[in-house]
């Protein structure tokens, strides 16, 4: 995938030269109304095009990978020789991964956290370098003028908490120990601008669940500080999920007239962060649309 921005191209080229190791990215942004819960894990394996500093390439696991931002990660993060493992309720059709990339799939439903954890963990390799946690569902009428907290059913509120918080905690509990000994372990939690203070959004359960990610990130940094785990919160604004990576970035950027973020930008940013040296990490990145008046 060619990224037209000179800055993005520079970051990506230098990243490919240095090599991607691994990463976690929680799921699509606040306006990814068509996305699914997702976690992206990247670990080392031999014979891939995206080389680490030690010359070892990567496998990539993306949970919530069937559409929206997750689909963009499948099509935009891996390169020839890499292995991508996608996770979603069902395997999608019409994916366009790069030539030479191996693509596998795990069908799992994060609304049943315990069962989903068993299905995902049983199919993972024993050694991971990167985990990307991209989980996110919301209330039925979220981001619509008709939304009202008082009209949300008890069950839909519980479902948001179950998927966005409970499943994330359980997955990380069982996945992160497999990163022990990794040369450059990285974890990405895909949050939302709705989870930031004074976000200007009324969706109570969704905002609470995304705000919780910041607490998870802080705690995980302390728990795994001795292992030098880099934990990054990616706080995304409203995404343009109608235009996938096959649409030129400039064209995708026009949709929403400055109110939507093209998926290309998120993929570019993720690749840049993955290619930082092991001497630093990005603690939190806030990515709103240019004309989002809340920011």
């Amino acid at each position: 995938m060619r990224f037209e921005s000179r800055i993005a191209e520079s970051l990506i080229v230098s990243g490919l030269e240095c090599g991607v190791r691994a990463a976690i990215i929680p799921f699509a942004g606040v306006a990814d109304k068509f996305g699914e819960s997702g976690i992206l894990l990247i670990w080392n394996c031999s014979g891939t095009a995206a080389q680490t500093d030690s010359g070892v390439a990567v496998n990539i696991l993306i949970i919530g990978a069937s559409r929206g931002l997750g689909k963009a990660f499948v099509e935009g993060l891996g390169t020839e020789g890499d292995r991508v493992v996608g996770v979603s309720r069902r395997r999608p059709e019409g994916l366009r991964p790069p030539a030479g990339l191996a693509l596998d799939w795990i069908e799992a439903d994060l609304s049943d956290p315990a069962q989903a954890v068993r299905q995902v963990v049983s199919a993972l390799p024993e050694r991971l370098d990167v985990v990307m946690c991209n989980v996110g569902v919301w209330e039925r009428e979220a981001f619509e003028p008709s939304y009202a907290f008082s009209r949300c059913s008890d069950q839909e509120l519980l479902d948001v908490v179950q998927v966005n918080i409970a499943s994330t905690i359980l997955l990380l509990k069982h996945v992160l120990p497999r990163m022990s000994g990794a040369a450059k372990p990285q974890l990405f939690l895909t949050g939302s601008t709705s989870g930031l203070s004074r976000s200007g959004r009324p969706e109570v359960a969704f905002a609470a669940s995304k705000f919780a990610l910041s607490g998870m990130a802080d705690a995980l940094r302390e728990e795994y500080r001795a292992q030098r785990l880099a934990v990054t919160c990616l706080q995304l604004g409203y995404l343009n999920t109608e235009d996938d990576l096959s649409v030129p970035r400039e064209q995708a950027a026009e949709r929403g007239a400055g109110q939507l973020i093209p998926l290309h930008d998120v993929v570019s940013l993720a690749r840049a962060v993955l290619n930082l040296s092991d001497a630093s990490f990005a603690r939190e990145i806030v990515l709103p649309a240019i004309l989002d008046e809340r920011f």
Side-chain angles (χ1 to χ4, degrees):
M1 172 57 60
R2 177 177 176 83
F3 298 93
E4 300 297 329
S5 165
R6 293 181 180 176
I7 295 176
E9 284 185 343
S10 175
L11 289 170
I12 291 169
V13 169
S14 63
L16 289 174
E17 292 174 349
C18 296
V20 176
R21 292 207 179 164
I24 290 185
I25 304 175
F27 222 132
V30 108
D32 184 3
K33 301 298 294 285
F34 305 100
E36 292 186 49
S37 303
I39 292 177
L40 165 63
L41 310 176
I42 303 176
W43 58 91
N44 285 342
C45 73
S46 61
T48 69
Q51 298 287 307
T52 65
D53 293 340
S54 61
V56 180
V58 302
N59 294 333
I60 303 172
L61 170 66
I62 304 174
I63 300 177
S66 64
R67 47 190 174 174
L69 182 59
K71 178 174 178 285
F73 286 143
V74 171
E75 298 178 342
L77 285 182
T79 57
E80 182 179 359
D82 288 341
R83 176 171 298 278
V84 168
V85 180
V87 177
S88 62
R89 288 188 293 271
R90 62 192 66 85
R91 179 170 181 151
E93 298 180 356
L95 288 170
R96 294 181 292 271
L101 183 142
L103 180 61
D104 296 324
W105 216 267
I106 302 171
E107 294 188 354
D109 186 351
L110 295 185
S111 65
D112 183 350
Q115 176 64 16
V117 167
R118 286 192 291 269
Q119 292 171 307
V120 172
V121 172
S122 66
L124 292 180
E126 291 301 315
R127 181 70 171 273
L128 301 174
D129 294 298
V130 179
V131 175
M132 197 159 195
C133 190
N134 190 26
V135 179
V137 297
W138 37 82
E139 295 95 318
R140 242 178 351 162
E141 296 184 355
F143 316 113
E144 301 292 344
S146 59
Y147 174 84
F149 177 54
S150 61
R151 290 200 299 271
C152 294
S153 71
D154 293 352
Q155 189 58 53
E156 69 180 298
L157 297 175
L158 290 172
D159 288 345
V160 171
V161 173
Q162 178 90 326
V163 171
N164 293 1
I165 299 179
S167 68
T168 298
I169 290 175
L170 285 183
L171 279 164
L172 294 179
K173 174 191 174 184
H174 292 277
V175 166
L176 291 183
R178 299 199 181 196
M179 303 177 77
S180 177
K184 186 176 179 288
Q186 289 179 269
L187 168 63
F188 286 78
L189 299 176
T190 297
S192 166
T193 53
S194 285
L196 301 176
S197 297
R198 297 177 292 280
S199 71
R201 294 302 316 175
E203 293 82 12
V204 176
F206 181 76
S209 68
K210 288 303 182 180
F211 189 82
L213 286 179
S214 296
M216 290 185 209
D218 286 346
L220 288 169
R221 288 189 195 99
E222 297 309 313
E223 174 71 9
Y224 292 96
R225 188 172 296 278
Q227 287 91 338
R228 300 169 67 93
L229 176 66
V231 183
T232 299
C233 281
L234 192 61
Q235 311 288 17
L236 303 178
Y238 301 122
L239 298 181
N240 168 13
T241 58
E242 294 187 46
D243 296 318
D244 62 20
L245 297 185
S246 67
V247 177
R249 193 194 62 173
E250 287 72 14
Q251 181 179 332
E254 292 176 357
R255 189 180 296 275
Q259 297 289 344
L260 297 175
I261 303 162
L263 298 176
H264 310 59
D265 288 353
V266 184
V267 172
S268 295
L269 184 60
R271 296 192 71 162
V273 174
L274 285 174
N275 287 291
L276 294 174
S277 77
D278 58 5
S280 64
F281 77 103
R283 180 182 180 90
E284 179 179 63
I285 297 176
V286 179
L287 187 71
I290 192 69
L291 295 184
D292 189 337
E293 295 180 353
R294 298 176 302 152
F295 299 93

